[in-house]
Amino acid sequence: MGHARARSCPKKSARVVSITTESNTKCLSRAVSNMDPAPASYYGPLDKNNPVLSAFQSDLKELKTRISLIFCSALCFCITLLMSIKLFETWNKYKSRLPPSYFEEHLLQTADFLLDSKLYRLALWQGYRLYLQQFCTLSLESIRDVEHFKQSFFSDGFDSKRARLTFRALQGECQCIFYLEKERGALPDQSGVQKLLSILGFVRILMQAVLPDESLCWILYNGTFSSLHMYNICRCLMSAGHASQILEYLLWACTCLETSVPLLTASFLPWRATLYCAVCECYFHDCASVQAEVFARRALGKISELAKLEEMTGSQVSLETQQAYKEATVKLAVMVFKRSVYEPRRKPKGLFRPKQKSNLKELQLTPWPRTPTERILMEMFEGNAARFLAVLEALQDSSVRPLQTGLPEEFEVQDVVLELISAGTSLLSGTLFRPVCLSATKCNL
């Protein structure tokens, strides 16, 4: 018994020492946070037991908790301003006491947190811009070309340790500027349009600078990615009626994806197809349907080339990859259909062609394809989902717009619209009859 008691005492003693040490560390961290201006290296290794690092982490955690409460309860602007002041004081308090790399990493982590919390102004001024001002005090819109960009933010080159953080801050600032413009109204005014176009110009310079370096392909992907830069801004400007001004940026994004070898894989195919379709939509909005169809056919050729390259490698294609190819092909085939369903039926100028009235009611009991429009649908697509998508897109063609403005004046185009509506109704109701077999190549879905 005596020996057992003796063995248990050291365990209890060790536990007391551990608790005492932990308590002393917390007390020391509070004391360091309140008055001691010594750098973190003064207290030993830069680990979790360092009181300066511990105090810094504690202050940031408290700030994030308060900011989360502000975001959730939508408190007034004055409290948000107080949080800005508190952040400013925190950065000034610890910047000289912490290693630069450690401080900058946590500065940008906090900025990302603010961005996710939709506190864009705080993220911009107390995060991304605060980091970038050590390199350049100019606004992003004032950057003129690639050389100016490199001299301003990457004087040590793209291989330096801080390059990744700098890219992260630049992308974060672009996001904040975009979301702040969106907060001003659903559609940007003229000054907002110019600001967003300037940001698009800066993103293009950034992508142009990193394009030769394959190790920075993630910058190209992020620079075009829908949740980040070009695509989101371009969609916003397109909805405001500025399709002709953003077309060059979307074309540039497509060129970057096609030029970067690491991005020429099936895993990035859905995003490439989205960008291709955005370019076609710009052409359609600008009443340039011929260019839209030409670009869509070119994009289909690029996808076909990529598929042939993968076949040459001899590697087994997964089901996800096959689905990606099918979806990309269908999306671009729909862009081709939007024009090809109307153009062959239009009457040439100066040619008189008597109108042949077709009775769509009598066609309801006949098997598909009942009309020329349905015949094109059957030739180009397989699967009702793909056909219905093609019908919807054709009815939303900006040059016709029957769903918004009523039937067009041309009799031939009226027939196409009625045939599209009839086909869409049949597809929705599921009353299709067994179709006639056609030998044309189809876009499978």
Side-chain angles (χ1 to χ4, degrees):
M1 291 292 291
H3 290 293
R5 218 176 273 133
R7 282 196 300 269
S8 64
C9 288
K11 293 182 180 180
K12 183 177 180 181
S13 174
R15 184 168 177 269
V16 171
V17 170
S18 175
I19 294 175
T20 305
T21 303
E22 184 178 351
S23 177
N24 288 341
T25 302
K26 290 182 178 179
C27 293
L28 182 58
S29 297
R30 284 195 292 270
V32 166
S33 175
N34 291 330
M35 51 184 154
D36 192 355
S41 58
Y42 175 80
Y43 295 96
L46 301 176
D47 53 22
K48 63 180 181 179
N49 295 323
N50 189 292
V52 178
L53 269 63
S54 178
F56 180 59
Q57 293 281 5
S58 178
D59 286 355
L60 284 183
K61 184 178 180 180
E62 182 182 354
L63 275 169
K64 289 180 179 179
T65 302
R66 292 185 181 181
I67 288 169
S68 298
L69 292 174
I70 292 174
F71 174 66
C72 294
S73 58
L75 296 178
C76 65
F77 172 76
C78 294
I79 298 182
T80 307
L81 181 60
L82 290 176
M83 287 295 100
S84 177
I85 296 173
K86 183 65 176 175
L87 271 172
F88 179 76
E89 292 174 349
T90 302
W91 301 142
N92 284 344
K93 182 179 181 180
Y94 289 102
K95 183 176 182 180
S96 60
R97 305 175 63 188
L98 295 171
S101 59
Y102 184 88
F103 175 80
E104 290 168 356
E105 177 66 35
H106 283 78
L107 173 68
L108 294 183
Q109 283 182 7
T110 305
D112 293 340
F113 169 78
L114 293 170
L115 180 62
D116 293 337
S117 300
K118 300 183 180 180
L119 298 172
Y120 308 120
R121 203 171 299 277
L122 271 178
L124 179 62
W125 290 103
Q126 295 299 329
Y128 302 119
R129 190 161 291 180
L130 191 62
Y131 171 88
L132 293 173
Q133 281 178 348
Q134 62 183 313
F135 304 107
C136 178
T137 57
L138 297 175
S139 63
L140 300 187
E141 299 94 319
S142 61
I143 301 299
R144 299 183 300 273
D145 51 37
V146 173
E147 286 304 317
H148 190 195
F149 170 79
K150 291 180 178 179
Q151 292 173 5
S152 299
F153 299 106
F154 297 95
S155 56
D156 296 334
F158 295 148
D159 297 329
S160 64
K161 294 181 179 179
R162 304 170 80 182
R164 180 173 288 268
L165 292 179
T166 305
F167 279 123
R168 181 174 161 190
L170 289 170
Q171 294 175 17
E173 178 160 348
C174 290
Q175 287 186 85
C176 289
I177 293 173
F178 168 60
Y179 288 123
L180 285 172
E181 286 298 326
K182 284 194 69 175
E183 283 185 346
R184 294 175 58 187
L187 297 177
D189 56 15
Q190 189 58 36
S191 62
V193 169
Q194 292 303 319
K195 193 172 189 64
L196 292 179
L197 288 174
S198 298
I199 291 300
L200 284 175
F202 172 78
V203 175
R204 181 168 59 182
I205 291 174
L206 185 151
M207 294 164 64
Q208 187 178 355
V210 303
L211 186 59
D213 194 337
E214 290 188 0
S215 64
L216 296 174
C217 65
W218 62 276
I219 297 292
L220 293 178
Y221 179 65
N222 287 346
T224 61
F225 192 45
S226 62
S227 65
L228 198 53
H229 297 312
M230 273 194 171
Y231 180 75
N232 242 1
I233 298 175
C234 287
R235 294 298 296 185
C236 177
L237 292 174
M238 190 189 303
S239 63
H242 301 281
S244 59
Q245 294 175 277
I246 64 172
L247 179 60
E248 59 176 303
Y249 299 105
L250 288 174
L251 287 171
W252 169 255
C254 293
T255 303
C256 287
L257 288 185
E258 292 174 355
T259 307
S260 178
V261 175
L263 299 181
L264 291 177
T265 60
S267 58
F268 296 101
L269 189 58
W271 178 233
R272 284 179 65 186
T274 300
L275 273 180
Y276 287 147
C277 290
V279 172
C280 294
E281 290 289 352
C282 276
Y283 280 125
F284 279 118
H285 275 271
D286 211 22
C287 297
S289 57
V290 177
Q291 289 88 333
E293 183 179 352
V294 169
F295 187 84
R297 292 186 182 277
R298 173 193 174 276
L300 284 170
K302 291 289 183 181
I303 293 175
S304 178
E305 290 175 7
L306 182 60
K308 290 177 181 178
L309 286 174
E310 290 208 350
E311 288 179 3
M312 291 173 61
T313 60
S315 59
Q316 188 175 2
V317 181
S318 64
L319 291 177
E320 292 80 5
T321 300
Q322 293 177 12
Q323 186 67 18
Y325 276 109
K326 289 180 180 179
E327 291 180 358
T329 304
V330 166
K331 287 179 181 179
L332 290 164
V334 167
M335 296 294 110
V336 175
F337 177 80
K338 283 182 70 169
R339 179 175 182 271
S340 61
V341 72
Y342 290 108
E343 289 305 316
R345 306 279 290 277
R346 292 185 187 273
K347 181 175 64 175
K349 293 182 179 180
L351 176 64
F352 175 76
R353 182 187 300 167
K355 176 174 169 52
Q356 297 179 354
K357 187 69 176 179
S358 58
N359 191 343
L360 294 177
K361 289 184 178 180
E362 297 176 357
L363 299 176
Q364 296 301 317
L365 300 178
T366 58
W368 273 50
R370 306 166 300 183
T371 63
T373 297
E374 291 174 1
R375 188 170 293 108
I376 298 176
L377 281 171
M378 298 298 297
E379 290 174 352
M380 293 188 65
F381 305 98
E382 181 175 327
N384 291 346
R387 293 169 190 149
F388 189 70
L389 175 63
V391 169
L392 285 180
E393 287 293 329
L395 289 173
Q396 294 174 359
D397 186 353
S398 58
S399 63
V400 182
R401 294 186 300 171
L403 299 180
Q404 292 85 13
T405 61
L407 290 176
E409 295 180 358
E410 299 175 79
F411 291 134
E412 291 80 9
V413 179
Q414 287 182 16
D415 286 343
V416 175
V417 171
L418 292 175
E419 290 171 6
L420 285 169
I421 294 174
S422 175
T425 303
S426 299
L427 289 167
L428 279 179
S429 62
T431 57
L432 300 181
F433 290 82
R434 186 175 184 84
V436 177
C437 293
L438 299 171
S439 59
T441 304
K442 299 178 182 179
C443 301
N444 297 323
L445 179 60

